[in-house]
Amino acid sequence: MPSIPSQGEAETTPDSKPVVKVSLAALPKAQDMGGKGGRFESDFLWMPAALREHGIGESSIKLATNYYNQNGRRMSFGAVLLELGILTPLNIANLIAAHHKFPTLVLGPVKVAPDAARLLPVTMARRMRVVPFKRQGPKVSLAVSDPSIPGFAEVTQMLGRFGITEFEYHIAQEAEILAKLEEIFASKADVSDPSRFFDQLVAEAVNMGVSDIHVVPEETLTQIKFRIDGVIHPYKVMDGSVREAIAARIKMKGGLDIAMRHIPQDGRAKLILNGKKINLRFSSLPTLFGESIVMRILDQSKGIVPLDKLGMLDDTKAAILTAANAPFGFTYFVGPTGSGKTTSLYSIINTLDVTNYTMMTLEDPIEYEFRNIRQTEVTEQLTFGMGLRSLLRQDPDYILVGETRDKETAELSMRAALTGHTGFSTLHANTALGGITRLIDIGVESSIIIGAVNLFVSQRLVRRLCSCKEPHPQSALLAKANNIHLEPGQTLYRPKPGGCATCGGTGYKGRVGLYECRPVEPFADIIVRLGKDALRECEAEAKRICAIETEQTGSSIFRTLRQDGFIKAAQQGQTSIEEVIAQTESDDSDPDTQQNT
């Protein structure tokens, strides 16, 4: 993506400078806000020129302009650029800040003063994407996503009723503003009975499909947040005065030492809720205002996700199963934390014949229990390397190593593969072929990799559209912008505004995987010849093979994560284009800039 100005030097905390002060008298009248003479003119009047200055092509600008006009100019030009995937939210925020000469603001850690938050109705604050976060007499500090949003004059008029005559504007990303508003206006939790509160909290989380519960201490209150489908949602708040009692109750449930408040602790618990077997993993960490506690929920009643339900396309599934059933060799799933690698591995080993063959695992932690599989959990005393060394003496046929973190584990895995074992593991890398670089960085020789590894698979998770989804009104234009071929009658979908009861108003329910498969064999010569520097040429070769196979057969296993996502958005209607773009790199990204995570 072309360079967009960074506002790093102007990025502020609430008390830092520079700050632009605007008196109420200097602001234009309501009917002039966003007009030609207004201070905050429409971004459509200045943003195209700014894009040209920073290297955005004319074809992209023309595409966005047509989209903007076809929508009746009811959305901001910046919103159009986001929807078409031309710029990122951070790019947009930096452009707006640079144009208006306002500082940027990372809103997440900002403490919002209660007297400031109450100045605007929550409905107006959400609609105008604005958070008043500090007030000093007649002056108020505002975090806004774009002061040229149509109707923004309502904000200044409302604040004027409270005697506000001076404004300090800070530009923040829209998602941060909406998250902060949810946090501010979250309902209060009833914590009169800590034990009952814990049981109700976990039960509610399980019913809502929550993967993690976050208990976040702040100066005067404690936030309770739920992670659902990979996204954090504010749930409840409770007074700071009860945080220690609640923390103690949670720690007791997890088997943690309630007297130890200044060191990190980990624990676990098993519950039965409405006939469901629930495993909980606890993590506590001391922070400035108390202990931050995260509870991971593992609902055993859901069982292992069947391979057919992960969202793999047929050729992807065939390639993975071929590698899994090979007489020897390792398959590595790569991706960042939380991208679903372990879930995919569990689904794969659940298809193997573990009755007539021996399957053994090393995991940190064991998330689900299997029958006929010997599972070992890694601890401080039993490392992956130590456990794998002992495991290989147990005569296994299949091996699952939860994560390859160090040279010892990697070399033992390669040795196992070369001596007739079939194995699976995970790595932290951004692309499938980035797994090669990661293994070499750890200390594995490139010549060993091509003999011991069958397949690298990169994975991401995107939110699945709820059944209330609706056809995108600009489907054809979006498809053209992203080089997507739509067959007659095909359309792209988007989440229904406001959602429904099933999806809780988000428009999404559940997640689906995106997969990028790279068998090692086609890249063997490049890997041996270039070693650690092979990534660029391997990616270019994969792109070449993909183009040839797609032209000949209409499809290719060598497609990228984004191409895999576009198929699921366009041909299957499982997700939205916005989700795919948000979770994947552009297919034109420079491999040299893709750092291992």
Side-chain angles (χ1 to χ4, degrees):
M1 180 170 290
S3 174
I4 298 297
S6 169
Q7 296 292 310
E9 295 182 359
E11 189 170 279
T12 65
T13 60
D15 297 317
S16 62
K17 303 295 180 184
V19 172
V20 177
K21 299 180 180 180
V22 184
S23 68
L24 187 61
L27 288 173
K29 295 180 180 179
Q31 60 266 30
D32 293 331
M33 290 291 287
K36 293 182 179 179
R39 176 177 178 82
F40 299 129
E41 73 274 20
S42 167
D43 56 1
F44 179 65
L45 298 179
W46 61 266
M47 198 171 279
L51 295 177
R52 293 185 184 96
E53 290 178 7
H54 297 288
I56 301 297
E58 282 298 326
S59 60
S60 296
I61 296 174
K62 182 178 179 181
L63 185 69
T65 301
N66 291 339
Y67 191 102
Y68 179 74
N69 290 327
Q70 288 176 19
N71 275 276
R73 303 191 175 191
R74 291 188 298 272
M75 58 197 303
S76 70
F77 193 67
V80 169
L81 296 171
L82 288 175
E83 187 159 325
L84 295 178
I86 296 173
L87 293 185
T88 67
L90 180 59
N91 294 151
I92 294 291
N94 286 338
L95 274 178
I96 293 171
H99 175 74
H100 292 295
K101 297 182 173 59
F102 291 158
T104 58
L105 176 68
V106 177
L107 190 57
V110 172
K111 300 170 187 175
V112 177
D115 62 328
R118 290 192 294 266
L119 290 172
L120 289 179
V122 63
T123 52
M124 178 184 289
R126 286 195 179 107
R127 182 160 48 89
M128 294 300 168
R129 306 298 197 257
V130 56
V131 176
F133 61 86
K134 185 172 66 173
R135 179 181 183 177
Q136 293 176 313
K139 181 174 68 176
V140 69
S141 299
L142 301 172
V144 302
S145 66
D146 184 356
S148 66
I149 289 177
F152 191 81
E154 294 179 40
V155 172
T156 56
Q157 290 172 350
M158 175 64 72
L159 293 173
R161 297 174 188 173
F162 293 95
I164 302 298
T165 58
E166 197 171 321
F167 302 83
E168 294 180 348
Y169 288 90
H170 305 251
I171 302 300
Q173 294 183 47
E174 179 179 309
E176 289 188 345
I177 289 175
L178 293 175
K180 181 62 73 173
L181 289 171
E182 289 296 326
E183 178 182 303
I184 294 169
F185 294 101
S187 58
K188 279 220 168 186
D190 179 7
V191 294
S192 55
D193 183 342
S195 182
R196 182 183 177 193
F197 165 75
F198 174 85
D199 292 340
Q200 290 179 336
L201 178 66
V202 175
E204 183 79 6
V206 170
N207 290 336
M208 294 173 64
V210 172
S211 61
D212 300 88
I213 302 172
H214 291 248
V215 182
V216 185
E218 298 181 1
E219 186 172 10
T220 59
L221 51 82
T222 294
Q223 295 278 347
I224 302 172
K225 301 180 180 183
F226 285 169
R227 186 178 293 278
I228 304 174
D229 295 336
V231 179
I232 287 285
H233 299 271
Y235 173 65
K236 300 276 188 182
V237 296
M238 56 188 179
D239 293 333
S241 59
V242 299
R243 69 165 56 114
E244 290 188 6
I246 296 302
R249 174 58 58 179
I250 294 174
K251 290 171 70 175
M252 286 177 62
K253 291 286 188 178
L256 281 63
D257 188 340
I258 63 174
M260 302 297 290
R261 301 176 183 173
H262 305 295
I263 61 172
Q265 296 187 66
D266 295 306
R268 65 187 64 195
K270 293 184 178 182
L271 304 175
I272 302 294
L273 291 175
N274 299 323
K276 295 181 178 180
K277 184 179 179 182
I278 307 296
N279 285 355
L280 297 177
R281 297 287 186 267
F282 296 76
S283 173
S284 72
L285 181 71
T287 68
L288 180 61
F289 298 115
E291 291 177 280
S292 171
I293 300 176
V294 177
M295 291 176 278
R296 167 66 58 88
I297 299 175
L298 304 171
D299 188 349
Q300 299 289 314
S301 66
K302 292 182 178 179
I304 304 302
V305 181
L307 200 60
D308 292 337
K309 301 294 183 181
L310 292 179
M312 292 181 183
L313 300 178
D314 289 342
D315 53 359
T316 299
K317 183 167 62 176
I320 291 173
L321 288 178
T322 297
N325 288 281
F328 64 89
F330 258 67
T331 296
Y332 283 97
F333 272 71
V334 307
T337 300
S339 58
K341 303 185 295 294
T342 301
T343 297
S344 293
L345 286 177
Y346 279 170
S347 298
I348 292 167
I349 65 175
N350 202 39
T351 68
L352 301 176
D353 180 2
V354 294
T355 301
N356 298 306
Y357 295 93
T358 300
M359 176 85 200
M360 303 189 72
T361 75
L362 279 172
E363 304 174 61
D364 182 22
I366 295 173
E367 295 190 9
Y368 291 94
E369 299 170 7
F370 288 86
R371 294 185 61 188
N372 298 324
I373 292 179
R374 292 177 235 170
Q375 296 173 267
T376 301
E377 186 160 284
V378 172
T379 64
E380 290 184 4
Q381 292 75 33
L382 179 63
T383 64
F384 275 112
M386 185 186 304
L388 184 54
R389 193 180 299 276
S390 298
L391 183 151
L392 291 174
R393 292 195 286 266
Q394 293 281 311
D395 188 31
D397 297 297
Y398 296 106
I399 301 167
L400 185 148
V401 180
E403 183 180 345
T404 299
R405 300 174 179 171
D406 52 44
K407 182 178 181 180
E408 181 185 17
T409 305
E411 288 183 337
L412 287 170
S413 298
M414 299 299 99
R415 186 187 305 170
L418 293 173
T419 54
H421 299 85
T422 302
F424 311 88
S425 190
T426 68
L427 284 167
H428 286 289
N430 283 338
T431 65
L433 290 171
I436 298 169
T437 305
R438 178 62 178 151
L439 285 177
I440 295 175
D441 283 340
I442 289 174
V444 181
E445 294 183 12
S446 56
S447 58
I448 294 179
I449 293 174
I450 64 172
V453 181
N454 294 328
L455 182 69
F456 288 100
V457 183
S458 181
Q459 177 171 347
R460 298 294 187 277
L461 294 176
V462 294
R463 289 181 293 173
R464 192 189 298 268
L465 286 167
C466 179
S467 57
C468 66
K469 66 185 179 183
E470 60 182 29
H472 201 294
Q474 298 295 336
S475 180
L477 195 58
L478 266 180
K480 180 180 178 182
N482 292 285
N483 196 28
I484 299 171
H485 175 70
L486 292 178
E487 297 290 345
Q490 280 186 344
T491 184
L492 299 175
Y493 289 89
R494 69 177 184 183
K496 178 183 177 181
C500 65
T502 301
C503 60
T506 65
Y508 295 95
K509 184 67 174 177
R511 289 190 286 179
V512 62
L514 307 183
Y515 298 90
E516 178 182 278
C517 284
R518 295 292 183 266
V520 171
E521 185 179 2
F523 310 100
D525 290 342
I526 301 173
I527 296 170
V528 171
R529 176 164 48 88
L530 297 178
K532 185 178 179 179
D533 300 322
L535 182 58
R536 175 187 285 274
E537 193 166 327
C538 285
E539 295 283 13
E541 177 66 8
K543 195 171 184 178
R544 186 188 70 82
I545 296 173
C546 182
I548 293 173
E549 292 183 352
T550 300
E551 183 178 357
Q552 293 176 347
T553 67
S555 181
S556 173
I557 191 64
F558 291 92
R559 59 183 164 266
T560 63
L561 282 168
R562 180 163 288 192
Q563 290 169 332
D564 192 65
F566 283 165
I567 291 174
K568 286 159 186 172
Q571 298 181 16
Q572 301 177 350
Q574 293 192 68
T575 189
S576 64
I577 289 294
E578 293 84 354
E579 274 290 291
V580 174
I581 291 174
Q583 297 297 329
T584 61
E585 294 282 345
S586 169
D587 297 337
D588 296 323
S589 297
D590 186 348
D592 287 349
T593 67
Q594 296 171 358
Q595 301 295 321
N596 291 333
T597 57

